[in-house]
Amino acid sequence: MARTRDLILEEALKLFSEKGIKETTVRDIARAVGITEGAIYRHFESKDQIVHELFEKYSGELYDRIEKALRDSGDEEGKFKRVVEAFLDFAFRKPDAFRYMNIFHHLRGKEVKRIRKIPFNLLSELIGDLHRKGILKMEPEYALAVVTGTLERVFLYKSMGIIRGRKKEIREKTAELLWKGLVECGGS
Amino acid sequence: MARTRDLILEEALKLFSEKGIKETTVRDIARAVGITEGAIYRHFESKDQIVHELFEKYSGELYDRIEKALRDSGDEEGKFKRVVEAFLDFAFRKPDAFRYMNIFHHLRGKEVKRIRKIPFNLLSELIGDLHRKGILKMEPEYALAVVTGTLERVFLYKSMGIIRGRKKEIREKTAELLWKGLVECGGS
Amino acid sequence: MARTRDLILEEALKLFSEKGIKETTVRDIARAVGITEGAIYRHFESKDQIVHELFEKYSGELYDRIEKALRDSGDEEGKFKRVVEAFLDFAFRKPDAFRYMNIFHHLRGKEVKRIRKIPFNLLSELIGDLHRKGILKMEPEYALAVVTGTLERVFLYKSMGIIRGRKKEIREKTAELLWKGLVECGGS
Amino acid sequence: MARTRDLILEEALKLFSEKGIKETTVRDIARAVGITEGAIYRHFESKDQIVHELFEKYSGELYDRIEKALRDSGDEEGKFKRVVEAFLDFAFRKPDAFRYMNIFHHLRGKEVKRIRKIPFNLLSELIGDLHRKGILKMEPEYALAVVTGTLERVFLYKSMGIIRGRKKEIREKTAELLWKGLVECGGS
DNA sequence: CATGAATGAGGTTTCATTCAT
DNA sequence: TATGAATGAAACCTCATTCAT
C-alpha cells in the first residue's frame, strides 16, 4: 500500500520529536509501524531521506498556511495577528511536527538553505514590511527575535503545562500581546 | 594533570554545541584534546558524565550570575534589566555553553529536574514577583515566554549575523525593549 | 534461520567449557559459528543472555532426566543408583554442558537462585528421604557432599584419562560404590 | 617495604577467590592494597605472575602439610585420616587459598604440569599404596575420585552453611566416613 | 512489497601495561 | 618505591544498510 509510506513518515516524526533524530533507530521506526527494517528501504532510500522529507513536508505546510493567512487578511494589524495565530495553530495541531522542525533546525541548520519554503522567511518579510511602512518603529531584526522566540516558547510552555487554557484563547492572547508590545510601544 | 580534565570539558562543550551530543563521539573529544579515547575514562566514568557535568557547571554559573544581578540592583526596572543583560552577557561570552544548554534542555528535559541551580527558575520568580507587585499586568507565564524566547533568539540571530552591533548595545536594546513591551504596554 | 541461534548456543557452550566464560569473546563465538559479531546480537541481547540461557537449558535438561529416573524406579536402592547413573550418563553424553554447569556454579553461584530446575535440589531431596526412612544413617549433608563430589570427580577423571573403561561400566561401578559406601557402611 | 609485596598477594587472593581471576582487575587489587596500579608492577612483572605465584605458594604449602602428615603418622588408617584432616584443616584455615586453587585448576589445568609440588599427587600415591598393600580393595582411581570430590564438597558446603558444626568435628567425621566407606566396605 | 538474517563500520568502555615525574 | 596519567589493543554492543528468499 502507498499508505505504508505515510505511516513511516508519521511514526518517524513522532519518534524524532520525542527522542531526537540520531536517538531514533530505523528499527524503532519499523517497529512502530509494524513492519521490519528492510521494508523501510522499499519506501525510502535512507534514514536521511526520511529526515529531510519530513522537514520539507511540514516546512512547506506551515509555509502555505502562513501564506494563506497573509492573503486572506485585511489591514496590517489583522495580517500580523493572523500570521501569528496561523503559526500557533499549526504548532498546536501538529506539535510533533513543530517540535521536529526546531530540532532539525538546531542540528542541521546548514542543510536548511537548500529548501525553498521556509516559514521563517515569510515572517521576516512581513516584519520588514511593517517596518518599511513606518508601523513598526523598532529595528526589524529585534522584532523578529521577539516574535519567533515568543512563538516557540508559548508552544513549549503550553506542552509543558506551564501555560494553560484553551488553544484559541492562547493564540489570541499571544497575537494581541505581541502586536501591542512591538508596535504600540516599541520606540527604537 | 588536573588540567586535562578541564581540557576535556572544554573541547567536549565546543563539539557538543557544534554538532550535537550524540553526533559527537568520545574519539572526537579525545582527538580534540590530543589524547586517546582510553584516557578520557581516567577522568570521567562515561560520556554521559561529561554531558551532565557540563550542564550542571554552566547552569550553575549562569544561575550565580543572575542571582548576583538580582542582589546588586536597585528598583524593579533596574533589577529586570540587569537580569536580562546578565543572561545575554553570559550568552555572548560563552556562546558554546549557552547553545549547549539549549540543546541539552531540548533533548534531556526530564533529567533537568535533578539539578538544583536552574537559571530559568530565577527568571520565573522575578517575573512572578513583578506580577504580584502589580508592576507587570500581563499573565506571568506569557511574560516568561516572551523573555526566555526573545533572549534565546537574540543570541541566535546575533551568532548567525542577523542581528549586528556591539554586544553592549545589543544587551541594552534588548533589555529596554522587553521592559517597555511587557511592563509599559502589556494590559492583560 | 532459527538454526543459527542453536549454533551460537552450541559453539558458545563448547568455548565456555574449554576456556571459561570471561575468557571467551563474542568474536570467538561468532567465528566458530561462521558469522560476524553483530549477527550474534540479532539472536541474543547480550553475551550474558547466552551465558544464562545455556545454564538454564542444561540445568533443566539434567533436572528432567533425574526426575524421570526417580519416577521410573523401584525400591530405594534402585532409585538411588538410577539417579547416580542418570547424572553420569548426562555428563558423559554432554561433557561440555556438564563442565559448563560447574564453571557457572563456581563463578555465579548467586545467580543460580533465580533458576527453578536445579538438579542439585533433586539429589538433596532424595538423600534427605533416604535418611528420614532410616536407610541412610549418615548425616545427609555429608552424604550429599560425598555423592556430588564423587560424581564431579569421576566425570573429571574420566575426561582426563585417569579413570578408564566403558561408560556403562563406570556408571555402574560408581553407583554401586556410593550405595555401598554410604548406606551399607555409614554409621553416624 | 617488602611487606607490600605480601599485601598484594593477600588481597589478590581474596579478590580472585571471590570474583574470579579475569574478573579481578589490577586496579581492584591496587585499590584493595591501598596503592596505585603502577606500584603493582614494582613487585610483579605482570598480573599473570601474581596468578602463578599464588598458585605455587599455596599449592606448595598444602603439599608440605600433607607430606608432614604422612611422615608423622602411625599405621595406615592413621596416615589416611591424618592426610584427609590436613586437607580440610588447610581449607578451613585458608578458605580463599583453597577456593582459588580450585578455580585455577578449572581454568588453567594445563599450566599445572610445570609445578612440582602438587598436593593431588601425594593423595594419589597414598591411595595407590593402600591399594597395593591390599588394604583398599576398590580400584584406586575411583577411591581418588571419592576422596578429592568429597573434600572439595565438604569444604564448599561448609562455607555455604549447608554443613554446620565445629571445624574439628567436621574434619574428623569426614575422615572417619571416608575410611569406613572406602576401606571397610569397598569390595571391588 | 515484505521479511529477517547478516554485514561492517564505528561507537562506548575496559584494562594490562608503560612511563615521566 | 610510588604515583597517576596515558596508551593501545581489544572487549561488548549498536545500527544503517544490503540481500536472499
Side-chain angles (χ1 to χ4, degrees):
Chain A
M1 309 166 247
R3 183 90 193 99
T4 300
R5 197 173 195 282
D6 291 336
L7 272 177
I8 292 171
L9 286 173
E10 204 174 303
E11 297 298 333
L13 178 68
K14 230 181 275 174
L15 289 163
F16 288 162
S17 81
E18 272 168 30
K19 311 200 305 178
I21 295 170
K22 194 108 202 243
E23 288 78 2
T24 298
T25 70
V26 173
R27 190 176 219 164
D28 288 337
I29 301 171
R31 272 211 264 261
V33 175
I35 57 179
T36 56
E37 300 162 77
I40 300 269
Y41 290 85
R42 295 277 144 200
H43 301 278
F44 297 92
E45 280 178 9
S46 67
K47 182 185 173 185
D48 222 55
Q49 196 194 319
I50 301 179
V51 168
H52 277 89
E53 191 157 328
L54 276 175
F55 185 74
E56 293 192 43
K57 175 178 175 180
Y58 290 108
S59 203
E61 193 177 317
L62 177 52
Y63 187 96
D64 292 342
R65 290 206 201 184
I66 295 172
E67 216 175 21
K68 191 163 174 298
L70 281 168
R71 273 201 311 276
D72 294 357
S73 53
D75 62 349
E76 304 302 330
E77 180 176 349
K79 219 174 232 180
F80 178 85
K81 287 185 175 173
R82 234 183 266 263
V83 167
V84 165
E85 291 199 42
F87 236 104
L88 284 179
D89 184 55
F90 177 86
F92 291 158
R93 268 189 225 282
K94 311 209 167 171
D96 293 339
F98 195 71
R99 219 175 293 127
Y100 172 69
M101 286 165 69
N102 284 320
I103 290 174
F104 185 91
H105 235 120
H106 269 268
L107 241 47
R108 326 265 276 243
K110 285 160 198 167
E111 304 170 30
V112 171
K113 285 164 197 163
R114 281 179 231 146
I115 291 158
R116 287 166 310 112
K117 294 185 169 183
I118 309 209
F120 171 85
N121 292 343
L122 289 179
L123 215 49
S124 178
E125 284 164 29
L126 170 62
I127 287 178
D129 246 34
L130 290 175
H131 184 252
R132 240 167 289 119
K133 290 180 183 162
I135 298 171
L136 177 74
K137 309 281 186 340
M138 185 187 304
E139 291 170 63
E141 298 79 24
Y142 285 84
L144 202 55
V146 175
V147 174
T148 55
T150 300
L151 288 173
E152 195 190 329
R153 289 285 161 160
V154 166
F155 163 72
L156 189 64
Y157 291 172
K158 160 106 183 59
S159 58
M160 290 169 70
I162 295 178
I163 289 182
R164 288 155 199 278
R166 279 175 311 114
K167 290 170 183 172
K168 188 167 186 294
E169 193 187 304
I170 297 174
R171 291 202 313 262
E172 288 171 0
K173 270 187 193 168
T174 307
E176 177 68 20
L177 162 177
L178 283 172
W179 180 258
K180 265 204 198 154
L182 293 175
V183 173
E184 299 185 2
C185 294
S188 136
Chain B
M1 305 168 247
R3 195 65 238 276
T4 301
R5 198 173 196 282
D6 290 337
L7 272 177
I8 292 170
L9 286 173
E10 205 174 300
E11 297 299 333
L13 178 68
K14 234 180 272 174
L15 289 162
F16 287 162
S17 82
E18 271 167 31
K19 312 199 308 177
I21 295 171
K22 193 104 201 240
E23 288 76 4
T24 299
T25 72
V26 173
R27 169 169 271 154
D28 288 337
I29 301 171
R31 267 211 268 264
V33 176
I35 54 178
T36 57
E37 295 167 77
I40 300 269
Y41 290 87
R42 181 159 287 278
H43 301 277
F44 298 92
E45 280 180 8
S46 65
K47 181 184 171 185
D48 222 57
Q49 197 194 319
I50 301 180
V51 168
H52 276 89
E53 191 157 326
L54 276 175
F55 185 74
E56 292 192 44
K57 175 178 175 178
Y58 290 109
S59 205
E61 194 176 316
L62 177 51
Y63 186 96
D64 292 342
R65 290 204 199 183
I66 296 172
E67 218 176 18
K68 189 160 175 300
L70 281 169
R71 273 200 312 275
D72 294 356
S73 53
D75 63 348
E76 304 302 329
E77 181 177 346
K79 215 175 236 181
F80 177 85
K81 286 184 175 173
R82 236 183 264 263
V83 166
V84 165
E85 291 198 43
F87 236 102
L88 283 179
D89 184 55
F90 177 86
F92 290 157
R93 269 189 222 280
K94 310 209 168 173
D96 293 340
F98 194 72
R99 219 174 295 124
Y100 174 68
M101 285 165 70
N102 284 321
I103 290 175
F104 185 91
H105 235 120
H106 269 270
L107 240 48
R108 326 264 280 242
K110 283 160 198 166
E111 303 169 33
V112 170
K113 284 164 199 164
R114 282 178 231 145
I115 291 159
R116 287 167 311 110
K117 293 186 170 183
I118 309 208
F120 171 85
N121 292 344
L122 289 179
L123 216 49
S124 178
E125 283 165 30
L126 170 62
I127 287 178
D129 246 34
L130 290 176
H131 184 251
R132 240 169 287 118
K133 289 182 183 161
I135 298 169
L136 176 75
K137 309 282 186 340
M138 186 189 304
E139 292 170 62
E141 298 79 23
Y142 285 83
L144 203 54
V146 174
V147 173
T148 56
T150 299
L151 287 173
E152 195 189 330
R153 288 285 161 160
V154 165
F155 164 73
L156 189 64
Y157 291 172
K158 159 104 181 62
S159 57
M160 288 168 71
I162 295 178
I163 288 182
R164 288 154 199 278
R166 279 178 309 116
K167 290 171 183 173
K168 186 165 185 293
E169 193 186 303
I170 297 175
R171 292 204 312 262
E172 288 170 1
K173 271 187 192 166
T174 307
E176 177 67 20
L177 162 177
L178 284 171
W179 178 257
K180 265 203 197 152
L182 293 175
V183 172
E184 299 183 2
C185 295
S188 137
Chain C
M1 306 169 246
R3 195 64 237 278
T4 300
R5 196 173 197 282
D6 290 336
L7 272 178
I8 292 170
L9 285 173
E10 207 173 299
E11 297 298 333
L13 178 68
K14 235 180 271 175
L15 289 162
F16 288 161
S17 82
E18 271 167 31
K19 311 201 303 177
I21 296 171
K22 194 106 201 237
E23 288 76 5
T24 299
T25 71
V26 173
R27 169 170 269 155
D28 288 338
I29 301 171
R31 267 210 269 265
V33 176
I35 54 179
T36 57
E37 290 169 80
I40 300 268
Y41 291 88
R42 180 159 287 280
H43 301 279
F44 298 92
E45 280 179 9
S46 65
K47 181 183 171 185
D48 222 56
Q49 196 194 319
I50 300 179
V51 168
H52 276 89
E53 191 157 327
L54 276 175
F55 185 73
E56 291 191 45
K57 175 179 175 177
Y58 290 108
S59 205
E61 193 176 316
L62 177 52
Y63 187 96
D64 292 341
R65 290 203 199 183
I66 295 171
E67 217 176 20
K68 191 161 174 299
L70 281 167
R71 273 200 311 274
D72 294 357
S73 53
D75 63 349
E76 305 303 329
E77 181 176 348
K79 217 174 237 180
F80 178 85
K81 287 184 174 173
R82 236 182 265 261
V83 167
V84 165
E85 291 199 41
F87 236 103
L88 284 178
D89 184 55
F90 177 86
F92 290 158
R93 269 188 222 281
K94 311 208 168 173
D96 293 339
F98 195 72
R99 218 175 296 125
Y100 174 68
M101 286 165 70
N102 283 321
I103 290 174
F104 185 92
H105 235 121
H106 269 268
L107 239 48
R108 327 265 278 241
K110 284 161 198 166
E111 304 170 31
V112 170
K113 283 164 198 165
R114 283 179 229 145
I115 291 160
R116 287 166 311 111
K117 293 186 169 182
I118 309 213
F120 171 85
N121 291 344
L122 289 179
L123 215 50
S124 177
E125 283 165 31
L126 170 63
I127 287 178
D129 246 34
L130 290 174
H131 184 253
R132 240 168 286 121
K133 289 181 184 162
I135 298 170
L136 176 76
K137 309 283 187 337
M138 185 188 306
E139 293 170 62
E141 297 79 24
Y142 285 84
L144 202 54
V146 174
V147 173
T148 56
T150 300
L151 287 172
E152 195 189 330
R153 289 283 161 160
V154 166
F155 164 72
L156 189 64
Y157 292 171
K158 160 103 181 63
S159 57
M160 289 168 70
I162 296 178
I163 289 182
R164 288 155 199 278
R166 278 176 311 115
K167 290 170 183 174
K168 187 166 185 296
E169 195 187 302
I170 298 174
R171 291 202 313 263
E172 287 172 0
K173 271 188 192 165
T174 306
E176 178 66 21
L177 162 176
L178 283 172
W179 178 257
K180 265 204 198 153
L182 293 175
V183 174
E184 298 184 3
C185 294
S188 137
Chain D
M1 309 165 245
R3 183 89 193 100
T4 301
R5 197 173 197 282
D6 291 337
L7 272 177
I8 292 170
L9 285 173
E10 203 175 303
E11 297 298 334
L13 178 68
K14 230 180 275 174
L15 289 163
F16 288 162
S17 82
E18 271 168 30
K19 311 199 307 177
I21 295 171
K22 195 108 201 238
E23 288 78 2
T24 299
T25 70
V26 173
R27 189 176 219 164
D28 288 337
I29 301 171
R31 273 212 264 260
V33 175
I35 56 179
T36 56
E37 300 161 78
I40 299 268
Y41 289 85
R42 296 275 145 201
H43 301 278
F44 298 92
E45 280 178 10
S46 67
K47 181 185 173 184
D48 222 56
Q49 196 194 320
I50 301 179
V51 168
H52 276 90
E53 191 158 325
L54 276 174
F55 186 74
E56 292 191 45
K57 174 179 176 179
Y58 290 107
S59 206
E61 192 177 319
L62 177 52
Y63 187 96
D64 292 342
R65 290 207 200 182
I66 295 172
E67 216 175 20
K68 189 162 176 297
L70 280 167
R71 274 201 310 275
D72 294 357
S73 53
D75 63 348
E76 305 301 330
E77 181 176 349
K79 216 173 236 179
F80 177 86
K81 287 184 175 174
R82 237 183 264 262
V83 167
V84 166
E85 292 200 41
F87 236 105
L88 284 179
D89 184 55
F90 177 86
F92 290 158
R93 268 188 224 281
K94 312 210 167 173
D96 292 340
F98 195 72
R99 219 175 294 125
Y100 174 68
M101 286 165 69
N102 283 322
I103 289 174
F104 185 91
H105 235 122
H106 268 269
L107 241 47
R108 327 263 277 239
K110 284 158 199 168
E111 303 170 31
V112 171
K113 283 162 199 165
R114 283 178 231 144
I115 291 159
R116 287 165 311 110
K117 295 184 169 183
I118 309 207
F120 171 84
N121 292 343
L122 289 179
L123 215 50
S124 179
E125 284 164 28
L126 170 62
I127 287 178
D129 247 34
L130 291 175
H131 184 252
R132 240 168 287 119
K133 290 181 183 162
I135 298 169
L136 176 76
K137 308 283 187 342
M138 187 188 304
E139 293 170 61
E141 298 80 24
Y142 286 84
L144 202 54
V146 175
V147 173
T148 56
T150 300
L151 288 173
E152 195 190 329
R153 289 283 161 162
V154 165
F155 163 72
L156 189 63
Y157 291 172
K158 161 107 182 60
S159 58
M160 289 169 69
I162 295 178
I163 289 182
R164 289 155 199 277
R166 279 176 310 117
K167 289 169 184 175
K168 186 168 187 293
E169 193 187 304
I170 297 175
R171 291 202 313 263
E172 288 171 359
K173 269 187 191 165
T174 307
E176 177 67 20
L177 162 176
L178 282 171
W179 178 257
K180 263 203 199 154
L182 293 174
V183 173
E184 298 184 1
C185 293
S188 133

